[in-house]
Amino acid sequence: MEQKKKIWIQEQEIKSRILMLEELLERFRLLEKSYLSDLDRLQFLIEGDHYISQLFDLNCPVCNNSFNSKTTVHNHDFYLEDLQIACAEESNKINAQLNDLRETLINLQNENKENNEKVKLLSQQIKEIEANIQNELKPVAVLTKERMDNLLNVKRIFQEIELNERRIAEYQTSQLDIMRELSKKNQKMKFVNEITTEIYDDFATEVKELLDGWNYPDLTSASIDYDDQELIVSGKKRKNHGKGYRAILNAAFVIAIMKYTRRVGLKHPGLIILDSPLTTYKERLSQTTLSNSEEDISLDMKQAFFKNLSRLRNDVQIIIFENIDPIEEVQDNMNYIHFSKVIGVGRYGFIPVDNVSE
């Protein structure tokens, strides 16, 4: 291919020279025609003078004076001998130029002929190289490529074998480690408690803030019993509260975990589902009359519960199933869905139905 390219470049250079020579030949041929035309014109003048000199002298058709004097009153300067001399000299000059031009044309034609022969020779060499590539080198290249592909395939197989051998060795080592672990007697797992008192106190603060926002009655403090892992509210453990209070404290505990983990950058899905955290409470007959039961709670606390949760950050979600409706002011800040249990009125229930018989 390199030889072919080199010869092709030479061929193109010679072809360019041929084109230039042909253009020069065309121009020189036009110049030759011009010279011949000039010679014909001069020859015409010489012959015309020859024939005119044989005519009888006549008077001038314009002024009727004789033509036989060198100077006439009508100022006609007409020297036939000078005209013949000038025409002869001009013809000699043009003939000299014409001879040089024809010599140049012959040289250019010879050079052009030689260049055409060179182009034919170079074209023949290119054809021979192409035939050699097609008939001899290309089959060898195809066979070499096939051998190379086979070698690369073998190399890939060897690499896979080496990789698999390393994996087998790693698996065997892991197997031995596992077998040694299994051969050991049961050992007690050592639990390392990484939760510090500062974390407990920080988490308890989250619980107290929630309970404050819910208007939890007689709230004085919130903390964690480190030993029992129990929530303590107003100096009383969660398990010692009534059933209704335990439900609201459980909700506060779960929501506080979500708020704390999101605040400090720990993992949490950001989703909580609460099932009836308020229905275990019995509403007070009035907000000023107290009952001896620990289950009683004011309507104000229930609405404060909804109002406080509706203000949580937008990257968390709390789903609450409850029989108590929040006030309209709070409904506007949440996705409130009412299950009517009546066909055609709002949403029938949690599971949509197409047809419900009476």
Side-chain angles (χ1 to χ4, degrees), residues 156-168:
R156 180 182 58 80
I157 293 174
F158 273 111
Q159 290 176 344
E160 292 180 356
I161 292 174
E162 292 177 354
L163 178 61
N164 291 331
E165 288 177 349
R166 289 197 298 268
R167 288 179 177 175
I168 291 173

Side-chain angles (χ1 to χ4, degrees), residues 86-110:
C87 290
E89 291 179 353
E90 183 68 19
S91 295
N92 293 332
K93 179 180 178 181
I94 293 176
N95 281 322
Q97 293 176 345
L98 184 60
N99 290 332
D100 292 340
L101 177 62
R102 286 174 175 173
E103 185 178 354
T104 302
L105 283 172
I106 292 173
N107 293 333
L108 292 177
Q109 289 173 351
N110 293 334

Side-chain angles (χ1 to χ4, degrees), residues 257-268 313:
I257 289 178
M258 180 182 68
K259 292 183 64 179
Y260 175 79
T261 54
R262 303 287 281 190
R263 178 167 59 84
V264 299
L266 298 176
K267 300 297 183 181
H268 193 284
R313 49 196 288 180

Side-chain angles (χ1 to χ4, degrees), residues 142-155:
V142 172
L143 294 176
T144 305
K145 185 177 184 302
E146 291 179 356
R147 291 184 58 191
M148 181 64 69
D149 293 339
N150 293 332
L151 290 175
L152 292 175
N153 188 38
V154 173
K155 180 181 178 181

Side-chain angles (χ1 to χ4, degrees), residues 75-93:
N75 196 24
H76 285 181
D77 294 329
F78 195 75
Y79 299 97
L80 296 178
E81 293 81 2
D82 295 341
L83 177 62
Q84 291 180 355
I85 294 172
C87 290
E89 291 179 353
E90 183 68 19
S91 295
N92 293 332
K93 179 180 178 181

Side-chain angles (χ1 to χ4, degrees), residues 1 16 46 69 111 126 133 154 162 175-176 225 236 279 285 311 317 339 345 348:
M1 294 302 295
S16 298
I46 293 173
S69 60
E111 182 182 356
I126 290 176
I133 291 174
V154 173
E162 292 177 354
Q175 183 182 19
L176 292 175
D225 189 325
K236 189 176 181 181
T279 52
L285 296 177
R311 296 173 179 173
Q317 183 180 22
F339 300 152
V345 179
Y348 179 83

Side-chain angles (χ1 to χ4, degrees), residues 114-201:
E114 293 177 359
N115 288 332
N116 285 322
E117 293 296 330
K118 290 180 181 179
V119 168
K120 291 180 180 179
L121 180 61
L122 294 175
S123 298
Q124 183 62 30
Q125 292 179 0
I126 290 176
K127 290 180 180 179
E128 292 175 356
I129 291 175
E130 290 177 346
N132 185 36
I133 291 174
Q134 187 68 25
N135 299 328
E136 297 183 13
L137 300 181
K138 189 173 182 180
V140 175
V142 172
L143 294 176
T144 305
K145 185 177 184 302
E146 291 179 356
R147 291 184 58 191
M148 181 64 69
D149 293 339
N150 293 332
L151 290 175
L152 292 175
N153 188 38
V154 173
K155 180 181 178 181
R156 180 182 58 80
I157 293 174
F158 273 111
Q159 290 176 344
E160 292 180 356
I161 292 174
E162 292 177 354
L163 178 61
N164 291 331
E165 288 177 349
R166 289 197 298 268
R167 288 179 177 175
I168 291 173
E170 292 175 357
Y171 292 152
Q172 289 176 346
T173 302
S174 300
Q175 183 182 19
L176 292 175
D177 294 338
I178 294 173
M179 292 178 66
R180 282 195 294 266
E181 291 295 329
L182 293 176
S183 63
K184 294 180 181 179
K185 295 182 179 180
N186 294 333
Q187 299 178 354
K188 292 184 179 180
M189 297 293 295
K190 295 182 179 180
F191 175 75
V192 179
N193 186 1
E194 298 180 352
I195 304 177
T196 62
T197 56
E198 290 79 6
I199 295 176
Y200 279 121
D201 295 340

